[in-house]
Amino acid sequence: MSAQGTKQTVGQPFGLDTAQGRALDEMVETLLAQMTLEEKIGQMNQVAGSRDTTGAPANTDIEDDVRQGRVGSVFNAFGVEFTRELQTQAVAHSRLGIPLLFGYDIIHGFKTIFPIPLAQAASWHLEGIERAARVMAREGAASGVHWTFAPMVDVARDPRWGRVMEGAGEDTHLTSQIARAQVRGIQGRAPGATDTLAACVKHYAAYGAVEAGREYNTVDLSEWRLRSIYLPPFLAALEEGCASVMTAFNTLNAIPATCHPLLLDQILRREWGFKGMVVTDYTAIMELERHGVAEDALEASRKAVNAGVDMDMQSGYFIKTLEELVRCGAVEEARIDEAVRRILWLKAALGLFEDPYRYADDEREAECLLSDAHRRAAREQATESMVLLKNEGNVLPLSDQHKKIALIGPLGNTPRLIGSWHGNGDHDDTVTLRDGIAQRLGNGATIMCADGVSNQIGDTDTSGIEAALELVRQADAVILALGEDEAFADEAASRTDIGLPGMQLELARRVLEAAGDTPVATVLFNGRPLTLTELDGMAPAILEAWWPGTEAGNAVADVLFGDVTPAGKLPMSFPRHVGQIPVYYNAFNTGRPKGVDPKYASKYLDSPNDSLYPFGFGLSYTTFEYSALKASCSEIGMNDTLEVSLTVTNTGKRQGIEVVQLYLQDVSASVVRPVRELKDFRRIELAPGACAHVRFHITPEMRSFLNAELETVQEPGRFHVQIGGDSTQGKPLEFHVTPHCA
Ligand code: GLC
């Protein structure tokens, strides 16, 4: 079937059935018929709620526009009082009393902050990810928010880009599965329930492919790669009922995503059948002028609205120009009506016409924000997200009998562990690593802290190292707490050198030398894959903790002292050197793969090809054995599903969780296929000595791909299945698909 003929698989936003959707349509049509052109255009205008220098809600300078019906949505507006006050201006003082839609970036927590999304992806725990999204939606809704600009589903293979922290890493399948879980968690099952939010999948599309990992940079992809790698997570989110889409800042093949007919009309509407609303990213319509596709605001607005944008975030161009564009015939009023229908439909689906104040609730806000239950959920997910990268000599878990702990490094005693995009989260609520260790070990232990060096980029000061070494010499265990500052992996935070910032590596070297036989555990707090080759060469134990959120210190202590066995698996490859980027597991073999010739092969003179830590990798405090792999048969027809099964045994002395990963290779096809692709996974818990019989089913859909004509096809031929604990494991099991049914 051709891509253009792709069957329309996206239903109503929120998964509403047709009858429910139609009931909303009727209400919207009645209201639309009463609206003037100016009022319609006002609905397409989204502005930021202003705040004073402390960030507290202030009397906004937008209230006058709201009363005049010139604002449809306000973002960065939250808090019961602030949202109620603004809503009153719209509902009680504008001519038609159309309620405002309040949007906010609730990405990995509202007040209780969960691990950053890249860390959550490392848990591979879809139920846990859904629960985290549920909690953040419940908290945001209680504070008057209706709509969150999440999930962010930008597949990314370049860790120089700071926003890798906000997505689910390099793999399309894992990102798609996580997108579905996040939409389910955010929107819940009952649309408009006051503990849910409308979701907004972003950034449409391919923002994660910015050239050189440089923020906001150019994106240029074949349509084959766009549709095969970057678009499926958006479709997954929309199939799960995601209510809206946000356009990306970047160009895609020389056309800005914010006025891209292929993306916004052909694929989103004609192929996928999406019926919800499209909002731009912040001032993206104005930026069409800077991109060089619009002479002025009129042309920028015309191109964006005619391409399919429904709401203008913060550029103010729609409110300024659309009336003139309609009057002169450059924009059909029917296009305005279509956009306004989608916006009003969303407000109606959220129940805002029945009760515009139904979300903001003092009691709910007091009861649920930072509740013990939410903190427990955040702590649990943080422990599930951590990835044990190295554990030579089983340094970890540390004994909880240690009496003198030296906690060395710039992240040992800081609350800056909730990451970027932390919503209304507060560092003051964060459990530091020092506090977490102190709470875990109790009064019997002494914790001696020293930063040693800073984690600021470019800081060369090493004057604090000697004092740190003094503590190391007194300790019976050392914990090195290293990593990035929250500001270094974020929007507008790309890095050309993704090593440990400042002189942290020197600190690690000196501490490890001084420690002698004293156990040293290194904990990393960072928002992206780092180049850790030197650290890996000298540190015996390395735990990747990412930015774990409000309960950071407790969660890390849970894992460091063995109360929780690490189970995380990397959602993104860690390069050996920044010069390898992009390095990702599901690459093509090339015509001269490494090894075919000592010289003439696809390789470097100065580095291995593979990543230091591969996609899907993560150690445990126990060990697992894979055995008895077999397939239901070795030859199947095109429409058949192949069952493969195996046994996974916990061969260690501790309970553990293993993420069993199934990879597939189509060995020879009409287009080149990756050496392997993740198609399914199981997260299983096993007691020491226990084993599980794991089954997978390889369906025709899993074997399908886009051919050179961009058609989704399955082709007969040889396939390899590899099942293991990461993307480098698993003995290939071969099976054949024949053109005829077996
Ligand atoms: C930002 C981000 C986008 C966010 C929006 C509103 O620039 O690109 O992800 O939702 O503006 O804050």
Side-chain angles (χ1 to χ4, degrees), residues 318-443:
F318 274 5
I319 196 73
K320 215 161 44 181
T321 63
L322 282 183
E323 188 177 346
E324 181 183 344
L325 287 166
V326 171
R327 301 273 184 244
C328 74
V331 173
E332 299 289 330
E333 183 157 2
R335 173 73 267 279
I336 304 297
D337 288 350
E338 183 183 60
V340 177
R341 276 194 191 92
R342 291 167 181 159
I343 295 165
L344 296 178
W345 192 96
L346 179 54
K347 294 181 177 183
L350 292 169
L352 294 176
F353 287 103
E354 282 132 39
D355 175 1
Y357 305 99
R358 60 198 302 267
Y359 282 80
D361 182 296
D362 285 315
E363 278 176 32
R364 268 205 308 272
E365 193 178 48
E367 175 266 327
C368 82
L369 268 55
L370 272 178
S371 68
D372 290 346
H374 289 179
R375 275 186 174 269
R376 278 196 302 276
R379 177 171 178 170
E380 182 179 342
Q381 190 183 54
T383 60
E384 294 176 351
S385 302
M386 292 179 204
V387 183
L388 183 58
L389 298 177
K390 188 178 177 188
N391 194 20
E392 216 163 64
N394 292 323
V395 167
L396 286 174
L398 293 172
S399 157
D400 58 7
Q401 300 309 307
H402 287 301
K403 298 302 176 202
K404 294 192 87 173
I405 302 269
L407 179 55
I408 308 297
L411 287 115
N413 199 14
T414 171
R416 293 179 65 79
L417 303 176
I418 56 179
S420 26
W421 292 111
H422 53 251
N424 189 28
D426 203 322
H427 289 115
D428 293 346
D429 299 322
T430 307
V431 180
T432 67
L433 179 53
R434 189 221 160 277
D435 292 350
I437 296 169
Q439 283 167 32
R440 175 63 182 76
L441 296 184
N443 301 328

Side-chain angles (χ1 to χ4, degrees), residues 610-629:
D610 62 357
S611 50
L612 179 66
Y613 306 120
F615 173 81
F617 173 77
L619 300 174
S620 171
Y621 291 155
T622 186
T623 50
F624 297 98
E625 184 183 270
Y626 287 62
S627 60
L629 174 65

Side-chain angles (χ1 to χ4, degrees), residues 75 105 149 163 202-203 246 249 281-282 313 421 491:
F75 80 98
D105 292 289
F149 305 127
R163 297 194 80 164
K202 69 185 184 182
H203 303 80
M246 179 185 289
F249 288 124
D281 202 337
Y282 191 97
M313 178 188 282
W421 292 111
E491 179 176 356

Side-chain angles (χ1 to χ4, degrees), residues 133-176:
R134 194 90 285 296
V135 167
M136 74 181 196
R138 186 176 299 125
E139 291 193 351
S143 285
V145 180
H146 305 137
W147 180 33
T148 179
F149 305 127
M152 187 274 216
V153 302
D154 298 311
V155 171
R157 294 167 158 176
D158 190 332
R160 291 172 294 184
W161 186 51
R163 297 194 80 164
V164 295
M165 56 68 58
E166 201 179 342
E170 71 189 48
D171 183 72
T172 300
H173 176 73
L174 182 60
T175 301
S176 299

Side-chain angles (χ1 to χ4, degrees), residues 195-251:
D195 64 349
T196 66
L197 299 171
C200 182
V201 64
K202 69 185 184 182
H203 303 80
Y204 188 63
Y207 184 14
V210 286
E211 280 183 357
R214 198 181 81 220
E215 183 60 286
Y216 311 129
N217 204 5
T218 303
V219 172
D220 207 281
L221 293 170
S222 68
E223 192 173 333
W224 182 91
R225 178 169 275 194
L226 170 73
R227 288 175 176 271
S228 298
I229 304 295
Y230 294 92
L231 289 186
F234 287 92
L235 179 55
L238 296 177
E239 286 176 337
E240 207 64 35
C242 183
S244 59
V245 173
M246 179 185 289
T247 66
F249 288 124
N250 52 280
T251 55

